[in-house]
Amino acid sequence: MRAAAPLLAIALCACATVPPEPPDEAARWTMQASATAGAALVHADAEGREVLRIACRRNPQDLFVASAWLRGAGPVRLTIGEENFPLTALPDAVGLSAAAPWPDRLPAALMAGGPVTVSLGRRADGPHGAPDARTAAAFAIACRGPVG
């Protein structure tokens, strides 16, 4: 039993640093909009819990991404299809929150329908299936005004 204790401790530590698996295909995207805050695409798991948020904020005018699955520090990247969008992690967040200046090519990338992944260093939340064309278009239209 003593010989197994160090192995068990190593296994438990390793599990604590690996993010959970992303939600299954039953997950879905919705769009939320606010006259004062901006618009957000929200990816929820099968139980309706928010897992990923991609938002265009009005004040400041930027791209904001939050992932409930990722934690820690390192380079953050939002990938939609073949497009990569680098972000800067925000301190003092529960989970991962990151922001960047609004990238003009993001709406087109979403509407192209590629998979969506948020990466923190070598860890990733995704790939998630793309939002449907109607939801992606509504987000693109909502973000066009506040971000220029």
Side-chain angles (χ1 to χ4, degrees), residues 50-139:
E50 181 176 321
V51 201
L52 178 61
R53 175 176 292 265
I54 302 170
C56 59
R57 298 190 299 184
R58 293 180 190 230
N59 191 14
Q61 293 184 356
D62 65 3
L63 168 65
F64 173 81
V65 174
S67 169
W69 295 105
L70 297 174
R71 290 177 179 35
V76 180
R77 185 178 68 248
L78 171 65
T79 303
I80 302 171
E82 299 297 317
E83 293 279 348
N84 290 301
F85 305 97
L87 298 113
T88 301
L90 302 174
D92 303 325
V94 175
L96 171 71
S97 294
W102 180 257
D104 291 333
R105 62 190 201 281
L106 184 113
L110 278 169
M111 293 180 62
V116 178
T117 302
V118 175
S119 302
L120 174 63
R122 295 183 302 162
R123 295 171 289 166
D125 177 358
H128 299 287
D132 63 72
R134 186 179 203 178
T135 303
F139 179 73

Side-chain angles (χ1 to χ4, degrees), residues 30-42 53-58 135 137-144 146:
T30 57
M31 212 254 323
Q32 299 174 349
S34 164
T36 56
L41 278 176
V42 177
R53 175 176 292 265
I54 302 170
C56 59
R57 298 190 299 184
R58 293 180 190 230
T135 303
F139 179 73
I141 291 166
C143 291
R144 203 171 285 151

